[in-house]
Structures are given as C-alpha cells and as structure tokens.
Amino acid sequence: MAAKVKSKSASRSLSRDDYLRMYRTMLCIRRFEEKTDELFMAGRIKGAVHVSIGQEACSVGVCSALNQDDAILTTHRGHGHSIAKGTRLNEMMAELLGKATGLCKARGGSMHIADISKGHYGAHSIVGANMPMAAGMGLAFQLEGKGRVAVVFFGDGASNQGSFHESMNLCAIWKLPVVFFCENNHYAVSFHVNRSTAVRDISLRAQSYNAPGVTVDGMDVMAVYEATKEAVARARRGEGPTLIEAKTYRFFGHSRGDPQFGPYRTKEEVERWRKRDPLLVAEKMFKVTEAEKKAVQGEVAEEMAVAVEFAEKSPEAPLPSALEDVYA
Ligand SMILES: Cc1ncc(C[n+]2csc(CCOP(=O)(O)OP(=O)(O)O)c2C)c(N)n1
Ligand SMILES: [Mg+2]
C-alpha cells in the first residue's frame, strides 16, 4: 500500500497575516543561516555548523501548527526549528558565538540549542537520540492530561536507527501524543536515501506500528502545516502517534567542510531542487506582492543586524562557567 501524498492546499482557517508571518519566518531562518555560514567562514563560530537552507518550509509548517506549550525536539540541523518555535534570535546568535548571553550560556553552541520557555526541548546531535526522549515527553504529557503534544524532528538517516523503531512502537502501543516528523532531505552526510533505506517512502514504516503515515511535499509550507495540524489533532484526541515524511532538500553541504560535488551529488541536482525553493513556492502560493516582499526583507534584515550586534557586543563566556550547572 502506498503512502498518502498530500498536495498543496490553502487553509481556510488562516488569515493573510498568518501567511505573511509564515513567509517572514522562513525568510528569517534563511537569513539567519546565511549569516551563520558567513560567521563560521570568518572563524567566528567554533565547532561544526549544519545549516538547513532549503528546508525552511518544514520548520515553519510544523511549528505553525503547534501551541507554545507543545514541545519540539530537534537535531544537529536545528536552527530553523528553533526560530520557527519562537526562540529569541539575539540569544541564539550569542550562543553560536560562544557568548555569556547565549541561550545556554555558550555551553551548547549550534548543535545543542534549547529554549524551554518556548517549548524547545533541545537540539540533539546524536542522530536518533531525540526520539526516545520524545516518547518520554509524550508519556509525561499523557499523564499530565492537558493535551500537550511533542513533535520530534529527525532525518532520513535517523529513520534507520533502532531508536526510531523502538520509539514509534512504544508511542503506538501506549497511544502517546507524539508526532514523528522526518525531514527526508535525501542524504545522510553523503549517503543517498535510496542506498540506505529499503522503502521508497519512509512514511510507509508507520504501518509496522499501526499508525498513520503520510508523505508531504517538504518544499510547500502549507502541505507541511496541514499534515501537522491533522497529526497534532489526532495526538490531542489520545489516538497516538503519526509519522510525517517531508520530501525536502538541503541546498548547502552537510556541513561546511563537505565537498559535495563529485563525491556524491551534482550541481545540476541542486539547481533542480532550487527551482522549488520553499521561499519561491510560498511567494507564489501566498501571492506575495513586491511591496510586501520588500517590507518583509527590510524587517528581517533589521532583526538580523540587531541579533549580530547583540551577540558581538556580549562578553565571552568565562571558562570556569563551563563547570556550572553540572550534575554529578
Ligand atoms: C549516532 C550517531 N551516528 C553518527 C553521527 C554522525 N552524523 C552526524 S549527522 C549524520 C547524518 C544524519 O543524516 P540525517 O538523519 O538524514 O540528517 P541530515 O543531516 O540530513 O539533516 C551523521 C551520520 C552522529 N552524530 N550520531
Ligand atoms: Mg538527511
């Protein structure tokens, strides 16, 4: 049986302001990550950085369907999820630059951002490790009885980890309010999904856990939003998990050191996907006018300048602070 494939649709329950807010958040993620890449290349950000440029419709489509007290758990490629869930840009940029004012006081960096006040329960760099945590959060939410839902983001590569299967099964038998959101960007580092994964649509795997599985166009923010809304409603009704697979693409390499072209993909392949840039898709779908586009671009540029200035002017995190809040 083939997975259901959702097509592009406009929701009647959303206003034009909502559409423009979604578009603006996608642009904000794009600009934040372009800036991150620039700062990384200038040696200002230490450690590794994985940008999600090309995948913004996933972050925004999912988080637009959530309440603030719903939870997300994300991955090494999590800036977009964080921004879409409402994480403050100033403190996030400061975290990346290793400053004392960073969201996690510079102990997390790009791959370990968390913002509990916004329902963001962490970026987890161990591939697949966030899924058992999501099951645990689902159990806590079920016991709490307030109708909160946990969404866990993971990649095509992570869907081959045992933790995915164990977590899906547990959530299914206990009917836990968890949404499994797989961003199938077609690669795990340099390994194409067709070489790593026995099924063509990852959403088919939901059948093994007697749960709904749906594949959506991950470049279409509304398709992602609609599928998430339905999955969240189901979870809130106590009917258990849904697996959503969004077919998407990362326009940049796995991380900055990735040679990409030659070793595993071609420039032509990237260009083909860029024609379906989620920002272009949204501009067309929402009929964003030139004036609206200009206004949003101006606002986002201003917000980004403020975040970078805040981060750059903040003091470095003092070395001894690395040992604070350590439980042993
Ligand atoms: C358990 C584990 N194995 C290997 C790695 C190294 N690693 C980091 S990201 C990654 C690929 C993940 O691919 P995918 O889940 O598709 O996510 P994407 O990078 O495409 O967003 C790997 C193998 C890791 N961090 N954790
Ligand atoms: Mg991947």
Side-chain angles (χ1 to χ4, degrees), residues 155-157 183-189:
D156 44 293
E183 276 173 271
N184 179 0
N185 63 9
H186 297 78
Y187 291 97
V189 191

Side-chain angles (χ1 to χ4, degrees), residues 50 55 75-77 125-128 154-159 161 183 185 187-189 250 254:
H50 307 78
Q55 303 181 203
T75 70
H76 55 285
R77 202 177 300 288
S125 63
I126 306 295
V127 172
F154 58 101
D156 44 293
S159 77
Q161 293 283 68
E183 276 173 271
N185 63 9
Y187 291 97
V189 191
R250 60 166 162 73
H254 170 74

Side-chain angles (χ1 to χ4, degrees), residues 229-305:
K229 216 173 109 180
E230 202 175 315
V232 166
R234 184 174 183 275
R236 289 204 211 286
R237 290 195 302 268
E239 293 171 21
T242 299
L243 170 61
I244 303 172
E245 173 199 18
K247 304 245 200 234
T248 182
Y249 200 78
R250 60 166 162 73
F251 295 162
F252 281 38
H254 170 74
S255 60
R256 241 318 173 155
D258 178 0
Q260 318 174 49
F261 306 119
Y264 69 90
R265 66 176 183 179
T266 61
K267 285 188 176 158
E268 291 72 33
E269 181 180 296
V270 179
E271 283 317 308
R272 265 201 313 279
W273 277 92
R274 274 188 180 274
K275 291 201 175 95
R276 300 221 58 247
D277 184 322
L279 283 165
L280 298 179
V281 172
E283 278 167 21
K284 218 169 141 191
M285 183 167 49
F286 299 155
K287 299 185 173 54
V288 181
T289 65
E290 277 308 310
E292 283 170 334
K293 209 163 116 180
K294 260 211 167 112
V296 170
Q297 283 171 348
E299 284 166 26
V300 169
E302 172 69 24
E303 213 180 329
M304 223 47 70

